[in-house]
Amino acid sequence: MRSILWEDLTRTEITALRDRNALVVIPTGATEQHGDFLSTDTDIVLSSQVAIRAARHVTQFPVVIAPRLPFGFSPHHLSWPGTISLRLETFLAVLSDMVRSILDAGFTRALFVNGHGGNEAPLRALCGQLVTDGYAVGMTNYFTPSEAAWIPMLKGELKRGGHACEQETALMLALHRDEPEEQRRILRAIEGLAPRTMQPWMAPGSAVDPITSAGAGWPPIFHADDCGYFGDPARADIENGERILEATVERLARFFVEYGEATLRLGVARDPARPCLARPLAGQEPHP
């Protein structure tokens, strides 16, 4: 392919990808505050850049990266300027229209690759609706398939992903490898930041977190008095970021292959003799 980016291609080139049963990956993220050290586009940069790098590792079938959606469901960050949030119904409608346009044109399988925690529940619900409607589309967070690899690499007090956390900060440092001044700016800005391991939905001074203990639901609210991060960004460094990036890309590429090769149930099939299935990409007949 001349490019794996949808927006770089002509209609004829995209038609050829459709006829080769390409997997279409749709990056989702957010434009929102990430403290005083990371840019507001962090989530969409991470999801799209990891997806692009992972797609280049796949040889079993073509992978094309659809235009990314830079805005997400981020009302919990709106206390800070810099955040641009879609309402829930808008977010779902835009993505539904995007994927229906893609699959109605003849592509047989798509995948949302997400970079923002606030998008996860809406995306899972949207996929539930689309799959039962007969559209073969799933979702994953760019970082989830590789958690077993990168969580042990963390050096700080929070041993998981957060927001503007050690993992995100390390990855952004790695992605700015050709921009040493931006790397230095981030490193100066995170120096001496205290770790934050209590979830942002708890008021300052809270001793316990009943939401986490019970596995309950509440959005992480970042008010105007908030530091803007959840995690231990001061422990991020360039070298560890490069290791985390490599592990994240490698495992997402493997998931692309596994997802594309899987036979998955699809639609609504009430006749037990005629289940509706999404066939593996590599084994399908070309588009008629």
Side-chain angles (χ1 to χ4, degrees):
M1 289 189 291
R2 184 168 58 85
S3 173
I4 63 170
L5 300 181
W6 184 287
E7 59 264 35
D8 289 346
L9 302 172
T10 68
R11 63 183 185 179
T12 302
E13 290 169 322
I14 292 173
T15 300
L17 284 169
R18 179 203 65 186
D19 293 347
R20 294 172 59 199
N21 293 322
L23 171 65
V24 182
V25 171
I26 306 169
T28 61
T31 299
E32 62 186 25
Q33 72 82 26
H34 273 73
D36 295 323
F37 48 93
L38 294 183
S39 53
T40 56
D41 66 351
T42 292
D43 289 346
I44 190 59
V45 165
L46 291 176
S47 64
S48 58
Q49 288 300 313
V50 171
I52 289 168
R53 286 163 168 77
R56 290 174 176 150
H57 289 282
V58 177
T59 58
Q60 289 81 350
F61 43 79
V63 179
V64 60
I65 307 297
R68 65 187 198 171
L69 182 64
F71 310 116
F73 182 58
S74 305
H76 44 294
H77 290 282
L78 281 171
S79 295
W80 280 94
T83 300
I84 300 175
S85 178
L86 300 181
R87 295 189 64 81
L88 178 59
E89 57 270 28
T90 306
F91 178 70
L92 294 173
V94 169
L95 288 178
S96 179
D97 285 352
M98 285 180 67
V99 78
R100 287 172 185 269
S101 296
I102 291 165
L103 297 183
D104 284 346
F107 287 90
T108 56
R109 194 169 302 193
L111 179 71
F112 295 117
V113 173
N114 178 50
H116 168 53
N119 293 344
E120 182 172 354
L123 282 171
R124 288 182 182 275
L126 178 60
C127 288
Q129 181 67 74
L130 288 169
V131 167
T132 52
D133 283 348
Y135 292 92
V137 54
M139 67 80 58
T140 186
N141 299 312
Y142 75 86
F143 50 82
T144 302
S146 56
E147 282 182 337
W150 63 260
I151 286 178
M153 298 180 190
L154 299 178
K155 303 175 181 179
E157 293 190 21
L158 186 68
K159 301 300 184 183
R160 51 153 292 182
H163 176 74
C165 55
E166 179 186 351
Q167 173 246 6
E168 286 191 335
T169 304
L171 285 174
M172 289 298 280
L173 284 167
L175 289 175
H176 286 298
R177 60 168 60 97
D178 296 327
E179 302 172 82
E181 183 53 42
E182 178 63 7
Q183 289 180 324
R184 287 191 289 270
R185 184 198 67 78
I186 294 171
L187 290 169
R188 287 193 301 267
I190 64 176
E191 187 175 0
L193 292 180
R196 193 230 195 126
T197 57
M198 180 69 79
Q199 284 278 9
W201 51 59
M202 299 305 302
S206 299
V208 296
D209 176 0
I211 303 297
T212 298
S213 298
W218 196 275
I221 300 292
F222 290 85
H223 281 158
D225 64 344
D226 196 90
C227 65
Y229 63 85
F230 170 50
D232 200 351
R235 299 300 303 276
D237 63 67
I238 297 170
E239 293 75 18
N240 206 31
E242 290 175 347
R243 288 190 288 270
I244 293 172
L245 179 61
E246 181 180 3
T248 305
V249 168
E250 187 278 330
R251 188 59 186 88
L252 185 62
R254 198 187 327 162
F255 177 68
F256 284 175
V257 175
E258 294 166 346
Y259 176 72
E261 292 182 340
T263 301
L264 298 166
R265 292 186 182 272
L266 182 68
V268 176
R270 295 185 173 88
D271 182 347
R274 300 179 63 188
C276 184
L277 301 172
R279 304 292 178 182
L281 292 173
Q284 291 188 62
E285 292 296 322
H287 190 275

